[in-house]
Amino acid sequence: MPLSKERLYTVEDIYNLPDGQRAELIDGQFYNMAPPSRKHQRLVGELCTVINNHIKRSGGRCEVDIAPFAVFLDKDQYTYVEPDISVICDPDKLTDRGCEGAPDWIIEIVSPSSRYMDYMTKLLKYKSAGVREYWIIDPAKNSILVYDFMHNETEMYTFSDTVRVGIYDDLYIDFSQIAPLI
């Protein structure tokens, strides 16, 4: 008896999901997404504001996008993710659909339902796709894990630290200023 083949889903399957159902697609496999908490959304908002203000002040060309924002990491039909925050510095990657290819910097805010995805599945996928910097922010652990894939470095911080952004020479995020707001 032949082994059954596991079905590979495509981006078309993502777009055919019922209204209100959110999922990500990694290497042809669906990963359902739970709605984010209020704290999660406040953290995304505060970080996005800091990053966007820095880009505007410095006359930068990067763009900040927040979920739900489509990122087609592998430029194929088998991977579609919605990072909490994506910073894209190459305008040629941006289309009406979203980002075609790897963003320069991705931030994921860990939720109880996304823990394994953020720490394992997405970590490996983002690194292999060419993301330059990946932050995993875990409110439950009061931690910020920074992966600088350009220099193969990893650093751990807390919500009382100031964290330097690797893709910029002059951007530091003071989490002690953000934490009280969430």
Side-chain angles (χ1 to χ4, degrees), residues 85-114:
I85 300 174
S86 300
V87 179
I88 302 104
C89 299
D90 179 355
D92 291 337
K93 290 183 179 180
L94 296 168
T95 69
D96 285 342
R97 287 181 5 142
C99 179
E100 303 282 342
D104 294 272
W105 177 22
I106 289 178
I107 300 173
E108 294 284 9
I109 314 297
V110 177
S111 300
S113 64
S114 74

Side-chain angles (χ1 to χ4, degrees), residues 26-27 73-74 79 121-129:
I26 298 178
D27 297 328
L73 277 178
D74 297 330
T79 301
T121 307
K122 287 184 176 180
L123 169 66
L124 298 173
K125 193 65 184 176
Y126 292 160
K127 183 176 184 176
S128 68

Side-chain angles (χ1 to χ4, degrees), residues 25-133:
L25 181 69
I26 298 178
D27 297 328
Q29 297 303 304
F30 271 133
Y31 296 89
N32 290 319
M33 299 170 66
S37 69
R38 180 177 164 272
K39 184 176 186 176
H40 178 282
Q41 291 302 89
R42 295 216 12 112
L43 185 51
V44 167
E46 292 298 326
L47 288 168
C48 195
T49 299
V50 170
I51 298 164
N52 212 24
N53 286 342
H54 173 77
I55 292 169
K56 287 179 181 177
R57 275 194 314 273
S58 64
R61 62 184 179 123
C62 299
E63 177 175 309
V64 182
D65 291 289
I66 59 172
F69 175 74
V71 173
F72 305 92
L73 277 178
D74 297 330
K75 296 184 184 178
D76 66 17
Q77 292 300 304
Y78 301 103
T79 301
Y80 166 101
V81 292
E82 294 182 0
D84 291 316
I85 300 174
S86 300
V87 179
I88 302 104
C89 299
D90 179 355
D92 291 337
K93 290 183 179 180
L94 296 168
T95 69
D96 285 342
R97 287 181 5 142
C99 179
E100 303 282 342
D104 294 272
W105 177 22
I106 289 178
I107 300 173
E108 294 284 9
I109 314 297
V110 177
S111 300
S113 64
S114 74
R115 185 165 301 285
Y116 184 82
M117 283 290 295
D118 294 335
Y119 279 103
M120 299 299 292
T121 307
K122 287 184 176 180
L123 169 66
L124 298 173
K125 193 65 184 176
Y126 292 160
K127 183 176 184 176
S128 68
V131 172
R132 293 168 51 199
E133 187 167 351

